[in-house]
Amino acid sequence: EAGVAQSPRYKIIEKRQSVAFWCNPISGHATLYWYQQILGQGPKLLIQFQNNGVVDDSQLPKDRFSAERLKGVDSTLKIQPAKLEDSAVYLCASSPTLAGGQYNEQFFGPGTRLTVL
Amino acid sequence: GNSVTQMEGPVTLSEEAFLTINCTYTATGYPSLFWYVQYPGEGLQLLLKATKADDKGSNKGFEATYRKETTSFHLEKGSVQVSDSAVYFCALRGGSARQLTFGSGTQLTVLP
């Protein structure tokens, strides 16, 4: 079974530029997550989708970050304009939907390492 | 809110040494607890989990016991291998919340 795919793996941009990341979850997984992992810290959830709807975006800096999952499959995360503090690894994860509200294991992609100069 | 505090690294051990990585948490209700591992160049993988007090999660020789009285979930392995070199993250999922709260990670290097 193919895992969560992300691209690009690395991106270097200058501040105030725009950047977009792409994620393709495991086939059939209804829930998709974007995390930000700053160096030396654990991942922090930015946004969670259930199919093509947003479940939680409370920690997404909406003045500059946006995300979409139009067809309920793959997703893009965009930063416009980027700031120096956005330098981090952006992780995508997906999980299946189980009945009864049981915990759904999250499967993570390899991440996109963003450097903002 | 929920938080996870992990033993700071990096940790360097010789092969076959005993490993402990400390993890304590703060959460309301009855969280589920997890250890994730991140090998170089790869995504996070679930290593083990425990969903209620006194549960012991285990996988690949690693173990962790959910201790509610000390709010801890320390990771242990009796004999580490070079292939265990990775970053280890403790995490919790509290109550009805869907999101995971992660610790800051502990880098483990095992030398032959």
Side-chain angles (χ1 to χ4, degrees):
Chain A
E1 179 183 79
V4 176
Q6 290 188 247
S7 66
R9 292 295 307 274
Y10 305 91
K11 189 73 176 179
I12 300 174
I13 62 173
E14 295 188 351
K15 60 183 179 183
R16 291 189 290 274
Q17 286 187 323
S18 301
V19 64
F21 313 126
W22 175 82
C23 171
N24 187 252
I26 293 172
S27 177
H29 281 194
T31 309
L32 186 147
Y33 312 79
W34 282 102
Y35 290 86
Q36 180 191 57
Q37 185 180 8
I38 294 173
L39 185 65
Q41 300 181 18
K44 182 187 79 172
L45 180 70
L46 293 175
I47 188 167
Q48 177 184 343
F49 291 95
Q50 179 75 16
N51 296 307
N52 61 350
V54 175
V55 173
D56 185 347
D57 63 356
S58 58
Q59 299 191 82
L60 186 73
K62 299 181 186 63
D63 57 333
R64 297 184 300 107
F65 285 64
S66 64
E68 59 183 14
R69 193 184 184 202
L70 292 176
K71 297 182 179 179
V73 180
D74 56 354
S75 175
T76 55
L77 175 69
K78 298 179 181 178
I79 307 175
Q80 179 179 8
K83 293 185 175 182
L84 296 177
E85 58 262 35
D86 298 331
S87 294
V89 175
Y90 290 85
L91 297 169
C92 180
S94 70
S95 64
T97 299
L98 300 177
Q102 297 298 308
Y103 174 69
N104 308 333
E105 179 181 346
Q106 294 183 28
F107 296 84
F108 286 82
T112 296
R113 182 177 296 278
L114 173 67
T115 302
V116 181
L117 303 176
Chain B
N2 297 337
S3 67
V4 176
T5 302
Q6 245 183 274
M7 169 178 166
E8 290 191 14
V11 174
T12 302
L13 297 173
S14 297
E15 202 165 26
E16 298 183 4
F18 184 84
L19 168 71
T20 299
I21 300 178
N22 290 337
C23 171
T24 57
Y25 68 90
T26 302
T28 55
Y30 304 94
S32 295
L33 302 173
F34 309 89
W35 278 100
Y36 279 80
V37 59
Q38 188 173 31
Y39 298 104
E42 300 183 15
L44 277 76
Q45 301 173 26
L46 179 63
L47 180 60
L48 55 84
K49 67 181 181 183
T51 58
K52 61 183 186 296
D54 300 325
D55 268 2
K56 177 184 284 187
S58 61
N59 186 25
K60 299 182 180 180
F62 291 89
E63 293 182 339
T65 301
Y66 189 148
R67 301 288 189 198
K68 190 168 178 61
E69 64 276 13
T70 54
T71 62
S72 65
F73 192 55
H74 305 321
L75 182 68
E76 297 182 336
K77 186 174 186 182
S79 176
V80 293
Q81 305 300 311
V82 172
S83 57
D84 294 326
S85 297
V87 181
Y88 292 81
F89 292 90
C90 185
L92 72 79
R93 182 174 181 262
S96 60
R98 296 179 179 88
Q99 44 177 283
L100 290 169
T101 300
F102 287 88
S104 57
T106 302
Q107 171 79 55
L108 170 67
T109 301
V110 180
L111 303 175

